[in-house]
Amino acid sequence: MDSKELILALELVGKEKGIDKEVIFEAIENSLVTACKKLYGNYSNMRVEINRETGEMRAFAQREVVEEVVDDFTDISLEEAVALNPTYELGDFVDNDITPKDFGRSAAQSAKQIVVQKLREAEREKIYNEFVAKERDCDTAIVERIDSRGNVIVKLGKMDAVLQQTEQIPGETYNVNDRVKVYILKVVKTSKDPQIKVSRTHYELIKRLFELESPEVFDGTVEIKGIAREAGSRTKMAVYSTVEGVDAVGACVGQNGSRVDAIVNELHGEKIDVIPWSEDPAEYINAALRPANVLAVEINENDEEKSAKVVVPDTQLSLAIGKEGQNVRLAAKLTGWKIDIKSESQARATEFINFNSVEMEDTEE
């Protein structure tokens, strides 16, 4: 590769790969400075210059203008410097051309290595930037393999990503070539390709899936106010319409449940309760405890812990609490209120709430 070929090659690389030619020129110059120091000794004041038009390469040892010369290679007297150029003053540096005879050959080898290195770096940076932009978003991945630790390696475009055991839905099985929706948790830059961590259990995966299924959620007409999730089992999601006349719950559920069913199928049967959000804590808690019917909710406004007492029909107590307490646990997590539930007969027998001060709901058992 001669000088002209080098310039043409760098122009081609710059256009095709989007790499700034100047970055490559500077990298080659720095590399050649290192080569010169090995040849002439480790002098600090050395530089290499590549003509950006012709590709000609020259090496210089820079000599400092001093009052008393100690080393002819690093120092030059003021008198000698002024004889070269009258503008030189003490402390200036004078270039001494030390270009080796075979400099072109070693420069070409160095240039090739630098170009290859810069291409790799540029490709890694491009991939990193592409996936950093997708952090906290949802994407479709293809299962490639399962490693010895139980982590699932999936393909996202051209890149591998890791679905760790802790981010897998409990009980879910993965087979090679399965297509699954994943939430991109984190993208970490490394000296090689970026490391991508994904999740199937993160609560925001639910939000992203609804954005894909519901145009109203995607465009902000329907706002998701909160999500409480126990991955693989049940999710409760509170929604609110920012446009009068739009049914927020209906927009998420879809006609005949088509939209929510598509998400349930993607999550292999995870139940999803979509409820209306309310500024009124009692209304919000009432809705969050569905599918159970609620007779009364008493809010303790003076309690810093934000606690509420709830009364349900006798036949609805187990439904309100849920299997292993899941329904009330998710409702509490969704609303941010600590919820204490009793059946109507228990509440009346223990004076659990002041029935005269709360509005009782009419409900069919």
Side-chain angles (χ1 to χ4, degrees):
M1 180 188 291
D2 60 23
S3 299
K4 291 182 179 180
E5 287 176 335
L6 173 64
I7 297 297
L8 291 173
L10 294 187
E11 287 179 353
L12 186 63
V13 167
K15 288 179 182 178
E16 290 188 353
K17 300 297 182 180
I19 305 173
D20 187 350
K21 285 191 300 181
E22 190 58 29
V23 172
I24 301 179
F25 274 123
E26 290 176 2
I28 296 171
E29 287 171 342
N30 291 335
S31 175
L32 293 174
V33 166
T34 302
C36 286
K37 285 182 178 181
K38 290 179 181 179
L39 183 63
Y40 292 107
N42 193 24
Y43 292 99
S44 59
N45 297 323
M46 279 192 181
R47 72 180 186 87
V48 170
E49 182 182 279
I50 302 176
N51 187 297
R52 298 327 191 231
E53 300 296 328
T54 66
E56 181 186 1
M57 304 181 194
R58 297 173 67 192
F60 301 94
Q62 294 184 298
R63 294 190 291 170
E64 185 178 1
V65 179
V66 296
E67 289 183 352
E68 183 178 349
V69 175
V70 176
D71 187 327
D72 287 333
F73 199 83
T74 60
D75 303 335
I76 185 173
S77 67
L78 179 60
E79 293 77 15
E80 189 179 353
V82 169
L84 296 172
N85 189 325
T87 63
Y88 281 127
E89 298 177 355
L90 290 174
D92 288 344
F93 288 89
V94 178
D95 283 339
N96 181 31
D97 194 330
I98 58 168
T99 307
K101 291 181 180 180
D102 61 347
F103 199 49
R105 190 191 315 155
S106 59
Q109 292 174 346
S110 177
K112 184 177 179 181
Q113 293 171 353
I114 293 294
V115 169
V116 170
Q117 177 187 340
K118 288 297 176 183
L119 284 174
R120 288 174 181 164
E121 290 176 359
E123 190 65 26
R124 290 188 190 118
E125 188 70 18
K126 181 180 178 182
I127 293 171
Y128 173 76
N129 290 334
E130 176 188 341
F131 281 96
V132 160
K134 292 182 177 181
E135 269 188 343
R136 298 172 61 83
D137 208 344
C138 174
D139 206 346
T140 301
I142 299 175
V143 176
E144 282 207 317
R145 66 183 188 279
I146 301 172
D147 69 18
S148 58
R149 292 175 293 181
N151 298 325
V152 179
I153 312 303
V154 299
K155 201 77 169 178
L156 280 175
K158 296 180 180 179
M159 288 298 302
D160 284 347
V162 180
L163 179 63
Q164 296 178 329
Q165 269 194 313
T166 54
E167 301 297 335
Q168 297 170 24
I169 295 175
E172 192 171 61
T173 57
Y174 304 90
N175 300 305
V176 175
N177 293 326
D178 280 354
R179 298 174 71 87
V180 294
K181 297 287 187 183
V182 294
Y183 180 78
I184 300 176
L185 270 179
K186 194 171 184 180
V187 181
V188 180
K189 183 181 284 189
T190 70
S191 58
K192 295 182 179 179
D193 289 331
Q195 290 182 351
I196 305 169
K197 296 180 181 179
V198 297
S199 174
R200 290 271 291 168
T201 61
H202 199 283
Y203 73 93
E204 281 201 5
L205 175 62
I206 302 294
K207 181 178 181 180
R208 300 305 179 206
L209 291 174
F210 272 99
E211 287 174 345
L212 292 174
E213 291 294 332
S214 171
E216 293 87 348
V217 175
F218 181 78
D219 66 19
T221 300
V222 171
E223 185 178 334
I224 296 175
K225 287 288 192 176
I227 297 173
R229 184 185 186 198
E230 293 186 1
S233 181
R234 196 179 205 100
T235 288
K236 286 183 181 287
M237 183 176 79
V239 294
Y240 172 78
S241 174
T242 61
V243 177
E244 189 175 349
V246 175
D247 178 9
V249 173
C252 294
V253 173
Q255 189 173 9
N256 299 321
S258 59
R259 291 175 179 176
V260 73
D261 284 349
I263 296 172
V264 168
N265 290 336
E266 171 62 39
L267 300 176
H268 296 164
E270 182 174 321
K271 294 181 177 65
I272 300 177
D273 300 330
V274 183
I275 67 161
W277 176 83
S278 174
E279 287 183 342
D280 183 336
E283 286 185 11
Y284 194 16
I285 291 169
N286 188 331
L289 284 167
R290 295 177 184 173
N293 295 317
V294 173
L295 289 175
V297 179
E298 184 179 84
I299 300 294
N300 189 342
E301 299 285 0
N302 300 320
D303 190 353
E304 291 183 1
E305 196 178 36
K306 293 179 66 176
S307 65
K309 294 178 179 179
V310 175
V311 177
V312 298
D314 289 357
T315 58
Q316 297 267 306
L317 183 61
S318 60
L319 183 62
I321 294 172
K323 186 178 180 181
E324 298 178 349
Q326 184 186 64
N327 195 57
V328 68
R329 183 169 61 247
L330 285 174
K333 186 176 180 181
L334 181 68
T335 62
W337 287 81
K338 182 180 178 181
I339 301 172
D340 189 5
I341 299 181
K342 288 191 184 302
S343 67
E344 184 178 7
S345 60
Q346 289 173 334
R348 292 189 182 280
T350 61
E351 298 183 349
F352 179 59
I353 65 171
N354 183 355
F355 282 93
N356 295 323
S357 65
V358 295
E359 184 177 339
M360 295 290 288
E361 295 286 340
D362 292 327
T363 181
E364 295 182 5
E365 297 184 22

